[in-house]
Amino acid sequence: MPKELLLQVTPEIAANESLLKDYLSKQIKVSVKDIQHISILKRSIDARQKAIKINLKINIFLQGENFVEQKIELPEYKDVSTSQEVIVIGAGPAGLFAALQLIELGLKPIVIERGKDVRGRRRDLKAINVDHIVNEDSNYCFGEGGAGTYSDGKLYTRSKKRGDIDRILKLLVAFGATPDILVEAHPHIGTNKLPQIIQDIREKIIEMGGKVLFETRVTDILVKNNEVQGVVNQNGDTIVANKIILATGHSARDIFELLDRKKIFIEAKPFALGVRAEHPQSLIDQIQYSCDYRGEHLPPAPYSIVKQVNGRGMYSFCMCPGGVIAPCATSPGEVVTNGWSPSKRDQATANSGIVIELKLEDFKPFAKFGALAGMEFQKSIEQNAWHLAGETQKVPAQRMIDFTQNKVSKEIPKTSYVPGTTSVEMGQVFPGFLSQILREGFSEFGKSMKGYLTNEAILHAPESRTSSPVRIPRDEITLEHLQIKGLYPCGEGAGYAGGIISAAIDGEKCALKIAESLLR
């Protein structure tokens, strides 16, 4: 039987198998030659002390112990070309993993995606970055793979109660992700590698008899006697099914408006909103690792910080070490920021959303919009930022200390945000109470992370698409909409997930509930 050990070693030892074997031979008092194989089960960084350590959970196989490398393979999917059809609206992680689960259960998914496939999206991403042209159906939020495809690919979820995280990670590995995602404490695929994985998932769905329809926007959901009958697309074509998984993501405002117009019950939901802060990665490394240079064996340092300011949580969100800031508007006349990192996280800058918890009472000025009040609040800030920055995809920007002192920055250095920046006093972008919390919060951040509060850091506004501003209520047991039979609100857009992993898990859950309902 292999021996399982928990270790704390230096980064150099963790990165070098020969050094690790030498270390282990002394720890367990065996010859290096007797160590047949080392399997790393989990890996994390402990940077709490000046001497940084790597935590390892490993299995050691000695001579004579049988080690067989386990290959992670896909489930045996069924041919569902003639099976009962289920409509899946949205080809983000919730929709794609719902489709795979439906196939596994013997049902035929019809995946409807308003945007283009992963390759086709690239032209539209270039257009928004270089030409400031926003395609409402194809952008960083909409298109194959959803918002995660071209905005980082983080696979970490704090919630362990949502479902089987390892199952999702293993499926991603089977579709081509590096096995390291099964080991790392904060796994990450990278924006440069995700598109091929997403394409392979789509090809598997089609190979097994499912359908994937791109550039197909749902304009109506057909309902009769409070039961879904199908959907209508932008060309007026009807697709019939009495089971629909609604997995459209947190930015599909037209879907929220459609549901509200049809009097299908939805409700306003609190979310978080703020700015995206960019520092030199070397500075974050110095702060987090307490060193002048992190060396070749440590990854670019992330950070996570939370403060209570005036009774509100202010915290880092979607932190991207060695990453860049991207334009994530989904309509002309607005600007939105987000961040992403390539798989190597090798860019010179680090960025993070720094956001503040909102409350339903904050949306009172938009009360006439009912359940869409939070969405209209969000939209008003994005549109205001667009006007202030010059009515292009440039964003309002300010040096961090200047912001805390209400001073317009004399000049903004070139940042990773390709469309460019406009020097603006950031207090003009947000309602007064939010600006005040942000100012006080950054000062508090600076006390906790010495060196964080600096004019080397550039704030970009707004970071506003942290989660859905709407919840689509569903039954806790059946996962069906409370009012409409056969409609399964799913993932981030419905208010039931917060990232790739949790959205994928929720997609699988909805598919399982549909299969259960068909057996009743």
Side-chain angles (χ1 to χ4, degrees):
M1 287 288 290
K3 187 178 182 67
E4 186 177 290
L5 285 179
L6 297 175
L7 311 171
Q8 254 202 353
V9 297
T10 65
E12 291 78 12
I13 290 173
N16 186 303
E17 186 176 359
S18 178
L19 292 178
L20 183 57
K21 281 187 175 181
D22 287 340
Y23 176 87
L24 288 169
S25 73
K26 294 168 186 170
Q27 292 294 307
I28 63 175
K29 296 181 172 55
V30 300
S31 166
V32 171
K33 294 178 181 177
D34 287 334
I35 300 175
Q36 180 197 171
H37 181 78
I38 302 168
S39 288
I40 297 176
L41 306 177
K42 290 294 175 185
R43 178 168 46 221
S44 63
I45 298 173
D46 185 346
R48 291 173 295 179
Q49 306 298 324
K50 190 159 188 177
I52 296 165
K53 299 291 185 182
I54 306 295
N55 298 318
L56 295 178
K57 180 180 179 182
I58 65 170
N59 270 345
I60 306 172
F61 292 81
L62 301 177
Q63 290 297 337
E65 293 177 339
N66 187 30
F67 168 70
V68 178
E69 185 148 9
Q70 292 185 328
K71 186 179 179 184
I72 295 173
E73 296 181 335
L74 292 172
E76 290 190 12
Y77 292 119
K78 307 168 185 178
D79 185 328
V80 295
S81 52
T82 60
S83 300
Q84 180 166 342
E85 296 181 345
V86 176
I87 291 173
V88 180
I89 308 176
L96 290 176
F97 278 82
L100 289 172
Q101 183 68 275
L102 288 168
I103 291 170
E104 205 171 335
L105 296 165
L107 297 169
K108 179 179 179 177
I110 309 295
V111 182
I112 301 174
E113 170 55 51
R114 68 189 297 163
K116 298 176 184 177
D117 64 30
V118 285
R119 307 299 171 191
R121 287 175 78 179
R122 289 177 177 173
R123 187 178 293 106
D124 298 311
L125 300 187
K126 182 180 179 183
I128 192 172
N129 274 290
V130 177
D131 302 319
H132 301 252
I133 296 170
V134 180
N135 182 327
E136 293 186 85
D137 289 318
S138 179
N139 44 60
Y140 276 97
C141 290
F142 299 146
E144 187 176 21
T149 302
Y150 290 106
S151 56
D152 209 48
K154 288 183 184 67
L155 302 177
Y156 177 62
T157 177
R158 289 185 178 86
S159 176
K160 306 299 181 187
K161 297 179 181 178
R162 291 187 189 273
D164 191 345
I165 294 169
D166 282 346
R167 171 181 158 84
I168 302 298
L169 293 175
K170 286 177 179 176
L171 278 171
L172 286 167
V173 170
F175 277 109
T178 171
D180 284 350
I181 67 173
L182 302 172
V183 171
E184 300 294 346
H186 294 86
H188 166 258
I189 292 177
T191 297
N192 54 319
K193 291 190 174 181
L194 258 174
Q196 186 60 52
I197 294 167
I198 297 299
Q199 180 176 312
D200 290 347
I201 291 174
R202 177 237 304 168
E203 288 174 353
K204 177 58 69 174
I205 291 169
I206 294 170
E207 178 192 339
M208 303 318 298
K211 286 186 179 180
V212 181
L213 308 176
F214 292 115
E215 298 182 68
T216 304
R217 183 166 19 95
V218 169
T219 57
D220 197 9
I221 297 172
L222 302 176
V223 178
K224 184 177 181 182
N225 298 326
N226 285 337
E227 184 170 359
V228 295
Q229 306 288 304
V231 300
V232 179
N233 68 20
Q234 78 272 27
N235 299 320
D237 301 324
T238 298
I239 303 169
V240 176
N242 61 7
K243 300 290 181 185
I244 297 175
I245 293 177
L246 187 61
T248 48
H250 59 42
S251 292
R253 289 171 173 166
D254 57 333
I255 292 295
F256 299 144
E257 290 166 348
L258 170 65
L259 297 176
D260 191 54
R261 195 164 60 246
K262 292 180 73 72
K263 298 190 169 28
I264 295 175
F265 182 49
I266 58 175
E267 56 192 3
K269 180 181 79 63
F271 58 104
L273 184 146
V275 299
R276 190 151 281 267
E278 180 170 276
H279 290 77
Q281 180 62 55
S282 58
L283 175 60
I284 298 300
D285 291 342
Q286 290 168 20
I287 294 170
Q288 295 298 85
Y289 292 146
S290 302
C291 62
D292 292 331
Y293 170 63
R294 72 169 186 266
E296 61 181 306
H297 301 301
L298 285 171
Y303 66 84
S304 176
I305 191 164
V306 182
K307 293 289 181 183
Q308 285 292 316
V309 184
N310 296 342
R312 307 244 186 178
M314 176 169 158
Y315 58 92
S316 55
F317 169 82
C318 183
M319 196 272 151
C320 300
V324 301
I325 300 177
C328 291
T330 52
S331 293
E334 65 188 29
V335 291
V336 181
T337 66
N338 198 351
W340 60 267
S341 301
S343 57
K344 292 183 179 179
R345 292 181 160 170
D346 54 1
Q347 302 299 301
T349 50
N351 68 79
S352 180
I354 305 296
V355 296
I356 296 165
E357 293 176 333
L358 297 176
K359 302 176 182 179
L360 290 177
E361 64 201 54
D362 299 329
F363 310 149
K364 280 184 180 176
F366 301 89
K368 68 179 182 180
F369 295 101
L372 302 180
M375 187 185 86
E376 292 296 330
F377 174 92
Q378 180 188 59
K379 194 190 297 186
S380 70
I381 289 174
E382 295 169 2
Q383 292 172 346
N384 185 40
W386 180 76
H387 284 295
L388 288 168
E391 300 188 352
T392 67
Q393 281 303 299
K394 287 186 175 183
V395 293
Q398 193 169 10
R399 293 178 182 270
M400 188 182 285
I401 290 178
D402 288 349
F403 172 63
T404 63
Q405 298 176 351
N406 291 42
K407 289 166 51 181
V408 176
S409 300
K410 290 182 180 178
E411 51 87 26
I412 303 292
K414 183 176 173 59
T415 72
S416 68
Y417 183 81
V418 173
T421 59
T422 300
S423 182
V424 168
E425 203 298 286
M426 207 72 79
Q428 298 179 67
V429 176
F430 304 103
F433 76 96
L434 282 180
S435 299
Q436 187 59 33
I437 292 170
L438 282 167
R439 289 191 176 100
E440 292 181 27
F442 280 120
S443 296
E444 291 300 311
F445 280 19
K447 294 173 186 176
S448 296
M449 290 177 65
K450 300 299 182 185
Y452 183 86
L453 181 61
T454 171
N455 261 350
E456 284 189 78
I458 310 300
L459 307 182
H460 303 63
E463 166 75 61
S464 51
R465 306 287 179 94
T466 56
S467 68
S468 177
V470 168
R471 178 174 287 107
I472 308 174
R474 68 187 188 189
D475 184 273
E476 290 184 5
I477 305 300
T478 67
L479 304 189
E480 281 183 298
H481 188 274
L482 293 178
Q483 173 192 3
I484 307 298
K485 188 173 175 56
L487 181 63
Y488 293 78
C490 180
E492 284 203 44
Y496 299 101
I500 290 173
I501 295 293
S502 56
I505 289 171
D506 202 52
E508 289 201 332
K509 282 182 178 178
C510 288
L512 285 163
K513 288 299 181 181
I514 286 174
E516 282 179 23
S517 74
L518 294 172
L519 292 173
R520 287 201 296 267

